[in-house]
């Protein structure tokens, strides 16, 4: 029992601030998870949309968000990360109050586009705030605890949303967003009460100029290594496409596994993502540590492809076990890459431009992985060369290996860029003082 108690204690964030951030993640995910669980029924039966209209709106929102990612990052640097996060969370919560009164495609389209813009802006503030407010040695561990809390929150939200759906009352489903509104407002207040981070004491460009302080160094659009590593990060995150799209489709169409196994797959993923992030990210402090985690994530990615590929020729219990194992290994890729990605954010961003760096990362990460649903589905489900009918899985595995290989030189390139700019140690204060002294 003692080892079990010690293991459970490790799931609790060790510092007061990390516990507050994990609690905020729990609030946010519970609210979002509740709405997302019932969103398909809400959009089709309450708003009255067709499935194609729902997809079109989400695509439009994604395009607009992609175009505005960089400006949102720059705005975060200008007004301060906590301000951006808190205001974005408040506006996003208030938007949920409008959902019960939307009854047309035009209204839906306007809402999803506006919601995506606001949520991504809030996310830019959140990411910059965590890196800004936490001591360097606690950043990766804190994000691991927040990741676990997010998964707990989404699970709670799914349970709440599932209960509402089980009651099967459209009036209840229509006003279910008001529950999300209430928790969202609590979440915004919670964020506003967090301590200010150093870059929340932000000055306008005019104030900087009056004080004789110039922003030193070049931005992330000059940092080729950061752009490349963000691109490869997007490719590594295509493990989520395997997890949520390709393996479930493969199970249904290419194996004799029972369809109820899908519930076990997603349940296993949720449990692992609650209990393991603190362990898989442990010891990841430097970029070398992070690159080691990338290699481990790549090994899990490849193993998942090979294991799942083998189920095309198996039957019965062996198929069930191998499909489940393939899903577990791709979850391993998710967990190990998460720890690596948090470390890269902590070590490879200019502290004075974290919002801007985050915006560039969003753009190149999208370019690195948005193509995966179509390509991976084609390779796994439709490409059957005569020499090896399941060869598409080998191509998917090869893509992940190329991303792993590309990560190493791109990360080192980004480190050299920061060293040339005089910010290799991640010290924002030193950089500002140098700029002030030379102006």
């Amino acid at each position: 029992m003692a080892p079990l108690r010690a293991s459970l204690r490790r799931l609790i964030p060790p510092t007061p601030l990390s516990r507050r951030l994990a609690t905020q993640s729990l609030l946010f995910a519970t609210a979002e998870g509740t709405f997302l669980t019932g969103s398909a029924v809400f959009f089709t039966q309450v708003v009255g949309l067709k499935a194609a209209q729902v997809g079109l709106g989400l695509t439009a929102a994604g395009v607009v968000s992609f175009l505005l990612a960089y400006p949102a990052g720059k705005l975060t640097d200008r007004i301060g990360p906590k301000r951006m996060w808190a205001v974005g969370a408040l506006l996003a919560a208030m938007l949920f109050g409008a959902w019960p009164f939307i009854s047309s495609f035009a209204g839906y389209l306007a809402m999803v586009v506006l919601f995506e813009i606001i949520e991504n802006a809030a996310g830019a503030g959140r990411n910059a705030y965590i890196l800004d407010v936490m001591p360097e040695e606690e950043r990766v561990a804190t994000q691991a605890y927040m990741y676990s809390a997010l998964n707990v929150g989404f699970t709670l939200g799914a349970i709440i949303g599932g209960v509402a759906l089980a009651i099967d009352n459209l009036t209840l489903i229509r006003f279910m967003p008001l529950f999300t509104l209430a928790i969202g407002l609590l979440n915004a207040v919670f964020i506003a009460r967090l301590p200010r981070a150093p870059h929340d004491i932000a000055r306008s460009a005019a104030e900087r100029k009056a004080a004789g302080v110039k922003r030193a160094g070049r931005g992330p659009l000059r940092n080729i290594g950061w752009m490349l590593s963000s691109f490869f990060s997007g490719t590594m995150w295509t493990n989520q496409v395997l997890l949520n799209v390709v393996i479930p489709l493969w199970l249904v169409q290419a194996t004799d596994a029972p369809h109820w196994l899908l519930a076990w797959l997603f349940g296993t993923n949720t449990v692992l993502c609650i209990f393991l992030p603190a362990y898989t990210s442990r010891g990841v402090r430097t970029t070398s540590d992070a690159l080691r985690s990338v290699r481990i994530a790549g090994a899990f990615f490849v193993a998942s492809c090979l294991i799942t590929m083998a189920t095309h020729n198996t039957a019965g219990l062996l198929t069930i076990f191998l499909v489940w194992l393939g899903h577990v290994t791709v979850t391993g890729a998710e967990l190990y890459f998460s720890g690596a990605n948090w470390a890269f954010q902590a070590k490879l961003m200019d502290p004075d431009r974290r919002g801007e760096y985050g915006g560039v990362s969003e753009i190149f990460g999208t370019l690195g992985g948005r193509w995966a649903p179509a390509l991976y589905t084609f390779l796994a489900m439709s490409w059957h060369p005569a020499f090896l009918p399941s060869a598409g899985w080998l191509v998917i595995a090869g893509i992940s290996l190329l991303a792993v290989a590309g990560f190493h030189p791109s990360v080192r390139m980004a480190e050299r860029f920061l060293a040339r700019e005089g910010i290799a140690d991640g010290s924002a204060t030193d950089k500002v003082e140098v700029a002030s002294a030379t102006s």
Side-chain angles (χ1 to χ4, degrees):
M1 288 297 293
L4 177 60
R5 285 196 296 270
S7 297
L8 292 175
R9 278 197 297 271
R10 292 193 191 101
L11 297 175
I12 301 174
T15 67
L17 182 54
S18 62
R19 287 193 288 272
R20 291 174 71 179
L21 289 169
T23 302
Q24 183 280 323
S25 296
L26 180 66
L27 284 172
F28 166 80
T30 301
E32 293 273 318
T34 301
F35 181 74
L36 290 174
T37 300
S39 61
V41 174
F42 181 87
F43 290 142
T44 56
Q45 297 188 29
V46 175
V47 182
L49 302 176
K50 297 178 181 178
Q53 291 176 312
V54 175
L56 179 61
L58 294 175
T59 300
V63 171
V64 173
S65 176
F66 173 80
L67 296 175
L68 294 181
Y70 183 68
K74 294 206 70 166
L75 182 61
T76 296
D77 292 332
R78 175 64 61 88
I79 69 174
K82 183 187 163 187
R83 293 186 186 95
M84 188 71 155
W85 186 16
V87 171
L90 176 62
L91 293 176
M94 293 174 66
L95 282 180
F96 280 106
W99 273 122
F101 310 101
I102 299 298
S103 58
S104 66
F105 175 69
Y108 159 77
L109 183 61
M111 280 287 289
V112 293
V113 170
L114 185 59
F115 189 83
E116 187 77 7
I117 293 170
I118 292 173
E119 277 233 314
N120 280 2
R126 171 188 178 275
N127 294 337
Y129 175 83
I130 295 164
L131 295 174
D132 205 23
V133 77
M134 297 303 300
E136 182 178 351
E137 65 276 8
E138 296 178 20
R139 288 170 183 165
V140 173
T142 296
Q143 287 172 295
Y145 287 116
M146 293 175 71
Y147 193 71
S148 295
L150 280 173
N151 280 279
V152 173
F154 280 121
T155 301
L156 291 175
I159 293 171
I160 296 169
V163 170
L165 292 175
I167 295 173
D168 198 21
N169 184 303
L170 283 184
T171 300
L172 175 62
I173 294 172
R174 174 184 293 277
F175 290 100
M176 194 166 64
L178 298 183
F179 176 82
T180 302
L181 165 64
I183 301 182
L185 291 176
L186 179 61
N187 175 54
V189 171
F190 197 95
I191 295 169
R193 293 175 64 86
L194 290 170
R196 289 196 301 173
H199 287 81
D200 287 309
I201 311 171
R203 290 180 289 181
S204 68
E207 288 172 326
R208 286 177 177 270
K209 186 175 181 179
V213 178
K214 298 178 181 178
R215 173 170 289 189
R218 295 173 294 172
L221 289 175
R222 299 291 188 90
N223 189 338
I224 304 300
W226 176 255
M227 290 186 283
L228 286 174
S229 62
S230 297
F231 180 89
F232 292 126
S233 177
T235 305
M236 290 298 293
W237 273 123
T238 61
N239 59 61
Q240 295 298 290
V241 176
L242 290 190
L243 190 81
N244 296 312
V245 179
V246 182
I247 291 178
L249 285 175
W250 178 265
L251 181 151
V252 171
Q253 297 185 19
T255 76
D256 66 343
H259 294 179
W260 55 257
L261 182 59
L262 289 170
W264 284 98
L265 298 183
F266 290 112
T268 301
N269 173 261
T270 299
V271 170
L272 294 178
C273 288
I274 289 171
F275 289 99
L276 293 186
Y279 294 90
T280 55
S281 62
R282 183 177 297 172
V284 181
R285 293 186 175 88
T286 67
T287 53
S288 295
D289 297 332
L291 288 171
R292 183 182 65 249
S293 289
V294 169
R295 293 192 293 273
I296 296 172
F300 273 115
F301 198 121
V302 171
S304 177
C305 291
L306 297 178
I307 292 168
T308 307
M309 173 183 171
T311 62
H312 188 60
N313 298 313
T314 59
L317 290 176
L318 180 58
T319 299
I320 292 174
F321 172 73
L322 289 178
V323 170
W324 176 82
L325 185 61
H327 214 256
V328 169
T329 50
V330 82
T331 300
E334 173 187 359
L335 291 170
Y336 275 98
F337 186 70
S338 294
N341 198 50
W342 297 327
F344 292 139
Q345 291 174 356
K347 291 294 185 180
L348 298 179
M349 286 184 173
D350 179 344
D352 274 350
R353 301 176 186 263
R354 284 194 177 112
E356 192 176 350
Y357 265 72
V360 169
S361 178
E362 182 74 19
I363 291 170
F364 282 88
T366 298
L367 294 175
R370 190 55 62 90
W371 39 263
L375 179 61
Y376 285 6
T377 302
F378 166 76
L379 289 172
M381 309 303 301
S382 302
W383 189 56
H384 304 299
F387 66 91
L388 184 60
S390 300
W393 285 102
L394 298 179
V395 177
I396 295 171
I399 291 172
S400 72
L401 290 178
L402 288 175
V404 171
F407 242 114
H408 289 66
S410 62
V411 166
R412 298 309 183 195
M413 192 184 305
E415 287 182 313
R416 290 193 295 271
F417 176 89
L418 294 179
R420 289 194 299 270
E421 297 298 310
I423 50 176
D425 61 350
S427 173
T429 303
D430 291 346
K431 188 173 67 162
V432 170
E433 288 174 353
V434 169
S436 180
T438 58
S439 61

